[in-house]
Short mmCIF file of all heavy atoms in Angstrom, two decimals:
data_model
loop_
_atom_site.label_atom_id
_atom_site.label_comp_id
_atom_site.label_asym_id
_atom_site.label_seq_id
_atom_site.Cartn_x
_atom_site.Cartn_y
_atom_site.Cartn_z
N MET A 998 230.32 73.83 173.04
CA MET A 998 229.80 75.28 173.11
C MET A 998 228.46 75.61 172.64
O MET A 998 227.82 74.72 171.99
CB MET A 998 230.84 76.08 172.15
CG MET A 998 230.90 75.53 170.84
SD MET A 998 232.37 76.09 169.86
CE MET A 998 232.18 75.28 168.28
N LYS A 999 228.02 76.68 173.01
CA LYS A 999 226.55 77.15 172.67
C LYS A 999 226.52 78.08 171.70
O LYS A 999 227.23 79.07 171.71
CB LYS A 999 225.92 77.64 174.07
CG LYS A 999 225.68 76.58 175.06
CD LYS A 999 224.28 76.73 175.63
CE LYS A 999 223.76 75.36 176.12
NZ LYS A 999 223.60 75.30 177.48
N VAL A 1000 225.68 77.88 170.59
CA VAL A 1000 225.62 78.68 169.50
C VAL A 1000 224.22 79.41 169.46
O VAL A 1000 223.07 78.65 169.78
CB VAL A 1000 225.81 78.02 168.27
CG1 VAL A 1000 225.87 78.91 166.95
CG2 VAL A 1000 226.96 77.04 168.27
N LYS A 1001 224.16 80.74 169.25
CA LYS A 1001 222.91 81.44 169.13
C LYS A 1001 222.97 82.23 167.94
O LYS A 1001 224.03 82.85 167.67
CB LYS A 1001 222.66 82.21 170.41
CG LYS A 1001 222.24 81.41 171.62
CD LYS A 1001 221.95 82.36 172.77
CE LYS A 1001 221.93 81.56 174.09
NZ LYS A 1001 222.14 82.51 175.22
N VAL A 1002 221.76 82.63 167.27
CA VAL A 1002 221.59 83.59 166.33
C VAL A 1002 220.64 84.57 166.91
O VAL A 1002 219.46 84.28 167.30
CB VAL A 1002 221.14 82.99 165.05
CG1 VAL A 1002 220.81 84.03 163.99
CG2 VAL A 1002 222.10 81.94 164.40
N ASP A 1003 221.01 85.86 166.74
CA ASP A 1003 220.08 86.96 167.03
C ASP A 1003 219.29 87.25 165.91
O ASP A 1003 219.74 87.75 164.85
CB ASP A 1003 220.88 88.15 167.49
CG ASP A 1003 220.03 89.35 168.03
OD1 ASP A 1003 218.83 89.40 167.49
OD2 ASP A 1003 220.45 90.14 168.73
N GLN A 1004 218.11 86.81 165.96
CA GLN A 1004 217.23 86.95 164.72
C GLN A 1004 216.92 88.30 164.36
O GLN A 1004 216.65 88.56 163.20
CB GLN A 1004 215.77 86.18 165.11
CG GLN A 1004 215.90 84.77 165.57
CD GLN A 1004 216.12 83.86 164.35
OE1 GLN A 1004 215.79 84.08 163.24
NE2 GLN A 1004 216.70 82.65 164.64
N ASP A 1005 216.97 89.20 165.21
CA ASP A 1005 216.84 90.65 164.94
C ASP A 1005 217.87 91.32 164.19
O ASP A 1005 217.75 92.19 163.39
CB ASP A 1005 216.56 91.46 166.20
CG ASP A 1005 215.33 91.05 166.87
OD1 ASP A 1005 214.31 90.63 166.31
OD2 ASP A 1005 215.18 91.27 168.14
N LYS A 1006 219.08 90.69 164.44
CA LYS A 1006 220.23 91.19 163.75
C LYS A 1006 220.61 90.54 162.34
O LYS A 1006 221.03 91.08 161.38
CB LYS A 1006 221.50 91.01 164.52
CG LYS A 1006 221.69 91.92 165.62
CD LYS A 1006 223.14 91.79 166.21
CE LYS A 1006 223.29 92.44 167.53
NZ LYS A 1006 224.55 92.09 168.25
N CYS A 1007 220.17 89.25 162.18
CA CYS A 1007 220.32 88.48 161.01
C CYS A 1007 219.68 89.26 159.82
O CYS A 1007 218.48 89.41 159.80
CB CYS A 1007 219.83 87.05 161.20
SG CYS A 1007 219.87 86.06 159.76
N ILE A 1008 220.53 89.31 158.73
CA ILE A 1008 219.98 89.92 157.46
C ILE A 1008 219.77 88.83 156.39
O ILE A 1008 219.45 89.08 155.31
CB ILE A 1008 220.88 91.01 157.05
CG1 ILE A 1008 222.25 90.56 156.76
CG2 ILE A 1008 220.79 92.23 157.99
CD1 ILE A 1008 223.20 91.51 155.93
N GLY A 1009 219.94 87.57 156.84
CA GLY A 1009 219.74 86.49 155.95
C GLY A 1009 220.77 86.23 154.91
O GLY A 1009 220.51 85.83 153.82
N CYS A 1010 221.96 86.72 155.03
CA CYS A 1010 223.05 86.60 154.10
C CYS A 1010 223.41 85.23 153.64
O CYS A 1010 223.87 84.96 152.65
CB CYS A 1010 224.26 87.49 154.48
SG CYS A 1010 225.49 86.47 155.41
N GLY A 1011 223.23 84.31 154.57
CA GLY A 1011 223.51 82.87 154.27
C GLY A 1011 225.01 82.32 154.45
O GLY A 1011 225.12 81.15 154.23
N ALA A 1012 225.78 83.11 154.88
CA ALA A 1012 227.18 82.75 155.00
C ALA A 1012 227.30 81.67 156.07
O ALA A 1012 228.11 80.75 155.87
CB ALA A 1012 228.01 84.02 155.40
N CYS A 1013 226.65 81.76 157.13
CA CYS A 1013 226.76 80.72 158.17
C CYS A 1013 226.25 79.47 157.71
O CYS A 1013 226.83 78.35 157.91
CB CYS A 1013 225.83 81.11 159.46
SG CYS A 1013 224.09 81.53 159.00
N VAL A 1014 225.24 79.35 156.89
CA VAL A 1014 224.73 78.06 156.34
C VAL A 1014 225.66 77.51 155.36
O VAL A 1014 225.86 76.32 155.34
CB VAL A 1014 223.27 78.33 155.65
CG1 VAL A 1014 222.79 77.01 155.12
CG2 VAL A 1014 222.36 78.89 156.75
N ALA A 1015 226.28 78.43 154.57
CA ALA A 1015 227.28 77.99 153.62
C ALA A 1015 228.61 77.32 154.35
O ALA A 1015 229.01 76.32 153.92
CB ALA A 1015 227.63 79.13 152.65
N ILE A 1016 228.96 77.92 155.34
CA ILE A 1016 230.22 77.45 156.16
C ILE A 1016 229.89 76.36 157.05
O ILE A 1016 230.69 75.41 157.16
CB ILE A 1016 230.69 78.67 156.96
CG1 ILE A 1016 231.28 79.70 156.04
CG2 ILE A 1016 231.80 78.28 157.89
CD1 ILE A 1016 231.52 80.98 156.65
N CYS A 1017 228.72 76.35 157.61
CA CYS A 1017 228.41 75.35 158.64
C CYS A 1017 227.02 74.76 158.58
O CYS A 1017 226.10 75.02 159.52
CB CYS A 1017 228.69 75.92 159.98
SG CYS A 1017 229.04 74.71 161.28
N PRO A 1018 226.70 73.99 157.48
CA PRO A 1018 225.28 73.48 157.36
C PRO A 1018 224.87 72.58 158.42
O PRO A 1018 223.68 72.41 158.59
CB PRO A 1018 225.30 72.90 155.97
CG PRO A 1018 226.78 72.62 155.59
CD PRO A 1018 227.59 73.52 156.48
N GLN A 1019 225.88 72.01 159.15
CA GLN A 1019 225.50 70.96 160.25
C GLN A 1019 224.79 71.74 161.38
O GLN A 1019 224.02 71.18 162.06
CB GLN A 1019 226.69 70.35 160.73
CG GLN A 1019 227.49 69.53 159.72
CD GLN A 1019 228.70 70.34 159.12
OE1 GLN A 1019 228.59 71.63 159.05
NE2 GLN A 1019 229.66 69.76 158.87
N VAL A 1020 225.14 73.05 161.56
CA VAL A 1020 224.61 73.84 162.63
C VAL A 1020 223.42 74.82 162.28
O VAL A 1020 222.54 74.90 163.11
CB VAL A 1020 225.75 74.58 163.40
CG1 VAL A 1020 225.30 75.44 164.57
CG2 VAL A 1020 226.70 73.55 163.97
N PHE A 1021 223.63 75.38 161.07
CA PHE A 1021 222.65 76.42 160.75
C PHE A 1021 221.77 76.03 159.61
O PHE A 1021 222.29 75.34 158.71
CB PHE A 1021 223.39 77.68 160.34
CG PHE A 1021 224.42 78.26 161.33
CD1 PHE A 1021 225.70 77.85 161.49
CD2 PHE A 1021 223.88 78.94 162.45
CE1 PHE A 1021 226.57 78.31 162.40
CE2 PHE A 1021 224.71 79.50 163.44
CZ PHE A 1021 226.09 79.03 163.47
N GLU A 1022 220.60 76.61 159.57
CA GLU A 1022 219.77 76.49 158.34
C GLU A 1022 218.96 77.67 158.17
O GLU A 1022 218.78 78.41 159.22
CB GLU A 1022 218.93 75.03 158.42
CG GLU A 1022 217.77 75.14 159.29
CD GLU A 1022 216.97 73.97 159.35
OE1 GLU A 1022 217.34 72.92 158.59
OE2 GLU A 1022 215.95 73.87 159.94
N MET A 1023 218.53 77.87 156.98
CA MET A 1023 217.67 79.06 156.67
C MET A 1023 216.24 78.77 156.84
O MET A 1023 215.75 77.73 156.35
CB MET A 1023 217.88 79.58 155.22
CG MET A 1023 219.34 80.01 154.87
SD MET A 1023 219.84 81.44 155.95
CE MET A 1023 218.86 82.79 155.39
N ARG A 1024 215.51 79.64 157.54
CA ARG A 1024 214.03 79.56 157.74
C ARG A 1024 213.47 80.91 157.53
O ARG A 1024 213.83 81.72 158.21
CB ARG A 1024 213.71 78.87 159.15
CG ARG A 1024 213.97 77.50 159.32
CD ARG A 1024 213.25 77.00 160.50
NE ARG A 1024 213.69 75.69 160.75
CZ ARG A 1024 213.45 74.93 161.91
NH1 ARG A 1024 212.71 75.69 162.87
NH2 ARG A 1024 213.88 73.81 162.14
N ASN A 1025 212.63 80.98 156.48
CA ASN A 1025 211.95 82.37 156.14
C ASN A 1025 212.82 83.40 156.15
O ASN A 1025 212.74 84.53 156.74
CB ASN A 1025 210.97 82.57 157.40
CG ASN A 1025 209.87 81.49 157.44
OD1 ASN A 1025 209.35 80.96 156.37
ND2 ASN A 1025 209.46 81.11 158.55
N GLY A 1026 214.08 83.15 155.53
CA GLY A 1026 215.04 84.17 155.29
C GLY A 1026 215.90 84.60 156.48
O GLY A 1026 216.73 85.53 156.40
N LYS A 1027 215.83 83.73 157.59
CA LYS A 1027 216.68 83.94 158.73
C LYS A 1027 217.43 82.80 159.03
O LYS A 1027 217.03 81.59 158.76
CB LYS A 1027 215.88 84.51 159.93
CG LYS A 1027 215.05 85.67 159.74
CD LYS A 1027 215.73 86.91 160.20
CE LYS A 1027 215.02 88.17 159.97
NZ LYS A 1027 215.50 89.36 160.50
N SER A 1028 218.57 82.80 159.69
CA SER A 1028 219.35 81.75 160.11
C SER A 1028 218.75 81.17 161.37
O SER A 1028 218.41 81.95 162.29
CB SER A 1028 220.82 82.23 160.33
OG SER A 1028 221.49 80.99 160.90
N TYR A 1029 218.70 79.90 161.43
CA TYR A 1029 218.03 79.08 162.56
C TYR A 1029 219.10 78.14 163.03
O TYR A 1029 219.82 77.49 162.23
CB TYR A 1029 216.76 78.46 162.10
CG TYR A 1029 216.24 77.52 163.19
CD1 TYR A 1029 215.41 78.05 164.09
CD2 TYR A 1029 216.51 76.19 163.16
CE1 TYR A 1029 214.91 77.23 165.20
CE2 TYR A 1029 215.90 75.34 164.13
CZ TYR A 1029 215.10 75.86 165.12
OH TYR A 1029 214.62 75.05 166.04
N VAL A 1030 219.40 78.03 164.30
CA VAL A 1030 220.30 77.05 164.83
C VAL A 1030 219.66 75.73 165.13
O VAL A 1030 218.73 75.55 165.88
CB VAL A 1030 220.90 77.68 166.15
CG1 VAL A 1030 222.01 76.53 166.79
CG2 VAL A 1030 221.68 78.89 165.93
N LYS A 1031 220.20 74.77 164.32
CA LYS A 1031 219.59 73.37 164.53
C LYS A 1031 220.10 72.69 165.67
O LYS A 1031 219.43 71.97 166.29
CB LYS A 1031 219.92 72.59 163.13
CG LYS A 1031 219.30 73.00 161.99
CD LYS A 1031 219.46 72.03 160.86
CE LYS A 1031 221.00 71.91 160.28
NZ LYS A 1031 221.22 71.07 159.19
N VAL A 1032 221.49 72.86 165.90
CA VAL A 1032 222.06 72.18 167.00
C VAL A 1032 222.75 73.28 167.87
O VAL A 1032 223.92 73.72 167.40
CB VAL A 1032 223.13 71.17 166.44
CG1 VAL A 1032 223.64 70.27 167.65
CG2 VAL A 1032 222.54 70.24 165.43
N SER A 1033 222.18 73.63 168.96
CA SER A 1033 222.79 74.71 169.65
C SER A 1033 224.01 74.35 170.57
O SER A 1033 224.89 75.18 170.79
CB SER A 1033 221.83 75.44 170.56
OG SER A 1033 221.22 74.52 171.50
N ASN A 1034 224.11 73.12 170.88
CA ASN A 1034 225.23 72.58 171.65
C ASN A 1034 226.16 71.71 170.71
O ASN A 1034 225.85 70.61 170.42
CB ASN A 1034 224.80 71.75 172.81
CG ASN A 1034 225.71 71.88 173.99
OD1 ASN A 1034 226.78 72.12 173.78
ND2 ASN A 1034 225.16 71.67 175.19
N THR A 1035 227.32 72.27 170.37
CA THR A 1035 228.06 71.50 169.38
C THR A 1035 229.57 71.98 169.58
O THR A 1035 229.91 72.89 170.19
CB THR A 1035 227.78 72.00 167.87
OG1 THR A 1035 228.55 71.36 167.05
CG2 THR A 1035 228.02 73.53 167.72
N ASP A 1036 230.43 70.99 169.15
CA ASP A 1036 231.82 71.20 169.27
C ASP A 1036 232.43 71.55 167.82
O ASP A 1036 233.67 71.59 167.66
CB ASP A 1036 232.56 69.97 169.80
CG ASP A 1036 232.28 69.80 171.30
OD1 ASP A 1036 232.18 70.85 171.89
OD2 ASP A 1036 232.20 68.72 171.74
N LEU A 1037 231.49 71.65 166.78
CA LEU A 1037 232.03 71.99 165.44
C LEU A 1037 232.67 73.23 165.40
O LEU A 1037 232.14 74.31 165.66
CB LEU A 1037 230.84 71.84 164.50
CG LEU A 1037 230.32 70.43 164.22
CD1 LEU A 1037 228.97 70.55 163.50
CD2 LEU A 1037 231.30 69.60 163.33
N GLU A 1038 233.98 73.18 164.93
CA GLU A 1038 234.68 74.49 164.74
C GLU A 1038 234.08 75.36 163.73
O GLU A 1038 234.31 76.66 163.78
CB GLU A 1038 236.14 74.18 164.25
CG GLU A 1038 237.04 73.56 165.35
CD GLU A 1038 237.19 74.61 166.44
OE1 GLU A 1038 237.57 75.74 166.19
OE2 GLU A 1038 237.07 74.31 167.72
N CYS A 1039 233.28 74.81 162.82
CA CYS A 1039 232.78 75.61 161.77
C CYS A 1039 231.68 76.69 162.30
O CYS A 1039 231.51 77.75 161.70
CB CYS A 1039 232.18 74.85 160.57
SG CYS A 1039 230.76 73.86 161.02
N ALA A 1040 231.23 76.36 163.43
CA ALA A 1040 230.20 77.31 164.07
C ALA A 1040 230.88 78.64 164.44
O ALA A 1040 230.39 79.69 164.25
CB ALA A 1040 229.70 76.73 165.32
N LYS A 1041 232.17 78.51 164.86
CA LYS A 1041 233.08 79.66 165.21
C LYS A 1041 233.25 80.39 163.91
O LYS A 1041 233.39 81.75 163.90
CB LYS A 1041 234.32 79.35 165.94
CG LYS A 1041 234.21 78.92 167.32
CD LYS A 1041 235.54 78.87 167.98
CE LYS A 1041 235.55 77.91 169.05
NZ LYS A 1041 236.81 77.35 169.40
N GLU A 1042 233.71 79.65 162.86
CA GLU A 1042 234.03 80.39 161.58
C GLU A 1042 232.85 81.06 161.11
O GLU A 1042 232.89 82.15 160.51
CB GLU A 1042 234.55 79.21 160.55
CG GLU A 1042 235.81 78.66 160.84
CD GLU A 1042 236.07 77.41 159.95
OE1 GLU A 1042 235.60 77.29 158.86
OE2 GLU A 1042 236.77 76.58 160.47
N ALA A 1043 231.58 80.46 161.23
CA ALA A 1043 230.41 81.09 160.76
C ALA A 1043 230.18 82.43 161.49
O ALA A 1043 229.86 83.45 160.97
CB ALA A 1043 229.18 80.35 160.88
N ALA A 1044 230.44 82.48 162.84
CA ALA A 1044 230.21 83.55 163.64
C ALA A 1044 231.26 84.74 163.12
O ALA A 1044 230.80 85.90 163.14
CB ALA A 1044 230.53 83.35 165.14
N SER A 1045 232.46 84.39 162.92
CA SER A 1045 233.37 85.38 162.37
C SER A 1045 232.98 85.90 160.98
O SER A 1045 233.25 87.04 160.58
CB SER A 1045 234.82 85.13 162.50
OG SER A 1045 235.03 83.83 162.64
N ALA A 1046 232.36 85.02 160.29
CA ALA A 1046 232.09 85.40 158.84
C ALA A 1046 230.77 86.29 158.74
O ALA A 1046 230.50 86.85 157.72
CB ALA A 1046 231.91 84.05 157.98
N CYS A 1047 229.89 86.18 159.75
CA CYS A 1047 228.56 86.92 159.66
C CYS A 1047 228.87 88.32 159.59
O CYS A 1047 229.52 88.93 160.38
CB CYS A 1047 227.78 86.50 160.96
SG CYS A 1047 226.24 87.42 161.01
N PRO A 1048 228.34 89.00 158.59
CA PRO A 1048 228.50 90.41 158.36
C PRO A 1048 227.99 91.29 159.39
O PRO A 1048 228.48 92.50 159.56
CB PRO A 1048 228.02 90.78 156.94
CG PRO A 1048 227.02 89.72 156.83
CD PRO A 1048 227.42 88.44 157.55
N VAL A 1049 226.97 90.87 160.04
CA VAL A 1049 226.40 91.77 161.10
C VAL A 1049 226.51 91.21 162.68
O VAL A 1049 225.73 91.66 163.54
CB VAL A 1049 224.84 91.78 160.82
CG1 VAL A 1049 224.62 92.76 159.58
CG2 VAL A 1049 224.10 90.54 160.72
N GLN A 1050 227.39 90.27 162.72
CA GLN A 1050 227.66 89.64 164.09
C GLN A 1050 226.55 89.23 164.80
O GLN A 1050 226.38 89.44 165.92
CB GLN A 1050 228.40 90.72 165.02
CG GLN A 1050 229.93 90.89 164.69
CD GLN A 1050 230.14 91.87 163.60
OE1 GLN A 1050 229.49 92.93 163.60
NE2 GLN A 1050 230.98 91.56 162.63
N ALA A 1051 225.64 88.52 164.08
CA ALA A 1051 224.37 88.05 164.68
C ALA A 1051 224.60 86.77 165.45
O ALA A 1051 223.75 86.37 166.17
CB ALA A 1051 223.31 87.84 163.62
N ILE A 1052 225.64 86.10 165.15
CA ILE A 1052 225.94 84.76 165.84
C ILE A 1052 226.75 84.87 167.03
O ILE A 1052 227.92 85.57 166.97
CB ILE A 1052 226.59 83.83 164.78
CG1 ILE A 1052 225.77 83.68 163.49
CG2 ILE A 1052 226.86 82.44 165.34
CD1 ILE A 1052 226.53 82.95 162.46
N SER A 1053 226.38 84.28 168.14
CA SER A 1053 227.36 84.29 169.31
C SER A 1053 227.63 82.86 169.57
O SER A 1053 226.75 81.90 169.47
CB SER A 1053 226.64 85.07 170.46
OG SER A 1053 225.42 84.21 170.87
N VAL A 1054 228.89 82.67 170.03
CA VAL A 1054 229.43 81.27 170.33
C VAL A 1054 230.00 81.39 171.87
O VAL A 1054 230.95 82.23 171.98
CB VAL A 1054 230.39 80.73 169.38
CG1 VAL A 1054 230.99 79.44 169.82
CG2 VAL A 1054 229.81 80.66 167.90
N GLU A 1055 229.46 80.62 172.72
CA GLU A 1055 229.96 80.69 174.08
C GLU A 1055 230.73 79.37 174.42
O GLU A 1055 230.24 78.23 173.87
CB GLU A 1055 228.87 80.91 175.03
CG GLU A 1055 228.35 82.18 175.10
CD GLU A 1055 227.14 82.43 175.94
OE1 GLU A 1055 226.83 81.47 176.86
OE2 GLU A 1055 226.25 83.22 175.73
N ALA A 1056 231.74 79.35 175.10
CA ALA A 1056 232.39 78.17 175.38
C ALA A 1056 231.68 77.27 176.34
O ALA A 1056 230.77 77.72 177.03
CB ALA A 1056 233.77 78.62 176.08
FE1 LIG B 714 222.16 85.76 159.24
FE2 LIG B 714 224.72 86.14 159.77
FE3 LIG B 714 224.00 83.81 158.98
S1 LIG B 714 223.31 87.54 158.67
S2 LIG B 714 222.20 84.14 157.75
S3 LIG B 714 223.41 84.82 160.90
S4 LIG B 714 225.74 84.78 158.51
#
C-alpha cells in the first residue's frame, strides 16, 4: 500500500511516529514518510490515530 502525509494538515502531534516508526519520522515538526510503499499494518493504525487525518493509505 501507499502511504502519504499531507504536510499542510499535519500538526506534528507525533502519534504516527510513536505507532509506526518504521514508516514515519519527524522532520522540522512535521511527519515525513520514510517508506511510502509498505505492507506494515501499523501504517493504517497511524492513519486512524492521526487527529487531523493527515495520513492517507491506499491499497
Ligand atoms: Fe502529523 Fe498526524 Fe503524524 S498530525 S505527526 S501526521 S499523527
